[in-house]
Amino acid sequence: MHNAAIAQLGLDYVYLPFPVAAAQLSDALAGFAAIDVRGFNITIPHKQAILPLLTEVSELAQAIGAVNTVARTDTGWYGTNTDVAGFLAPLTPLKPNWSATDALVLGCGGAARAVVAGCAQLGCRKIWVAGRDRHKLIRFQQSWGTSPRPISVDICDWQDKATQLFQAGLVVNTTPIGMAPQIDQSPLTPMELQQLPAGAIVYDLIYTPCPTRLLQEAVTYGAIAIDGLEMLIQQGAAALELWLQQPVPVDIMRYALQQRMLEQKA
Ligand code: NAP
């Protein structure tokens, strides 16, 4: 999708994947600098490990504790995180004011951090996080107290999440439950979905399949469904804009990604 946008803009760049071993991350950065790479995305296992190798880290990436986008500067490398922008892109047009909306986030792993930061940015009244491991939940909650952007997070055990659903105007699945090949699974049972308030938004970060079982069932209970594909596109567009310092054709990126996914399905 990046290369489709670059071609549309008529620019002489290319976006390429490079597998980099954990022990080679520092050497890879030196190599990128030597050949004047404009910027890059990074993913597991480098999202935290790269932090000490950067000359500047955005406050948002510090708060989330993970970098997914790095741009070359005059003095070195600037790291930030575009997952929050990607997560928010399909939500912000839905409502001008989120101060009466409670959010329930399912899971407390890496993606949940961007989701919690996004819900706080929206101005949600309460942010509940449900997880299956009490210790991880408590660590997750405490980490936001000491973050550069402190956020008040309420936690609940996985088996008790139904008690929060009746007032959750926004539910976000950040677990892999329902992701291919386990497409018949869902993090919420039909009975739990029935608890949702009218007009609730159910957002699944998963994009294979698209829509997931969770979203298919949520719609039958009157919810508004958002899948993970738009977040994927928009986090990529935000990164490309940072590197190119100009607006990018998001429609072209969406089309390229959808085409590729159709090809993979065939
Ligand atoms: P992660 O760091 O491994 O976190 C996954 C979370 O889900 C953990 O809290 C994990 O709990 C929990 N979980 C897993 N299986 C569970 C189960 N059976 N019951 C209850 N909780 C369960 O993974 P991640 O990087 O956050 O990614 C999570 C999902 O988001 C993936 O499907 C990924 O593809 C998607 N994602 C999408 C985008 C996008 O752009 N659309 C971006 C990022 C991620 P434990 O820690 O106890 O295992």
Side-chain angles (χ1 to χ4, degrees):
M1 65 179 179
H2 298 77
N3 289 328
I6 289 165
Q8 170 78 13
L9 292 167
L11 298 173
D12 188 17
Y13 290 107
V14 66
Y15 184 86
L16 297 167
F18 291 103
V20 176
Q24 305 296 327
L25 186 58
S26 174
D27 288 348
L29 254 70
F32 289 163
I35 59 169
D36 205 19
V37 165
R38 181 68 69 94
F40 55 92
N41 287 124
I42 38 166
T43 188
I44 293 166
H46 304 309
K47 283 182 151 192
Q48 284 90 31
I50 197 157
L51 284 161
L53 303 174
L54 302 171
T55 35
E56 199 187 338
V57 180
S58 72
E59 191 190 76
L60 183 62
Q62 287 177 44
I64 295 169
V67 164
N68 79 332
T69 299
V70 179
R72 185 101 184 112
T73 65
D74 292 341
T75 52
W77 297 106
Y78 165 75
T80 189
N81 194 305
T82 63
D83 281 338
V84 177
F87 167 69
L88 289 176
L91 284 176
T92 40
L94 296 181
K95 287 201 245 192
N97 188 336
W98 292 77
S99 61
T101 302
D102 290 356
L104 173 63
V105 180
L106 307 176
C108 59
R113 300 198 66 81
V115 167
V116 163
C119 291
Q121 212 163 300
L122 284 175
C124 288
R125 184 172 51 194
K126 271 194 171 294
I127 305 171
W128 284 90
V129 178
R132 62 180 173 178
D133 182 325
R134 184 92 198 148
H135 297 293
K136 282 187 187 169
L137 265 179
I138 292 169
R139 275 206 305 275
F140 185 91
Q141 183 185 42
Q142 288 173 343
S143 72
W144 289 105
T146 53
S147 137
R149 289 188 184 182
I151 295 172
S152 166
V153 171
D154 291 290
I155 52 175
C156 82
D157 292 321
W158 189 254
Q159 62 274 17
D160 299 332
K161 61 188 181 308
T163 56
Q164 302 310 325
L165 278 168
F166 75 98
Q167 52 189 1
L170 172 64
V171 179
V172 188
N173 177 36
T174 76
T175 77
I177 305 170
M179 188 163 76
Q182 269 84 42
I183 60 169
D184 57 339
Q185 295 183 3
S186 171
L188 297 179
T189 62
M191 213 134 83
E192 287 176 323
L193 283 170
Q194 268 176 13
Q195 313 272 328
L196 286 173
I201 300 161
V202 179
Y203 193 151
D204 199 335
L205 298 200
I206 294 171
Y207 46 85
T208 45
C210 197
T212 53
R213 177 172 179 176
L214 168 67
L215 295 186
Q216 289 175 41
E217 290 182 347
V219 168
T220 68
Y221 289 99
I224 297 165
I226 302 178
D227 61 58
L229 203 61
E230 196 59 21
M231 175 173 172
L232 182 67
I233 296 161
Q234 298 280 355
Q235 60 78 31
L240 196 56
E241 280 187 356
L242 175 71
W243 301 321
L244 300 178
Q245 291 292 303
Q246 68 177 88
V248 298
V250 179
D251 289 350
I252 299 280
M253 297 180 78
R254 187 180 296 109
Y255 182 73
L257 187 62
Q258 284 168 342
Q259 288 302 111
R260 177 59 66 93
M261 289 181 81
L262 283 174
E263 279 165 28
Q264 279 178 346
K265 245 188 202 174

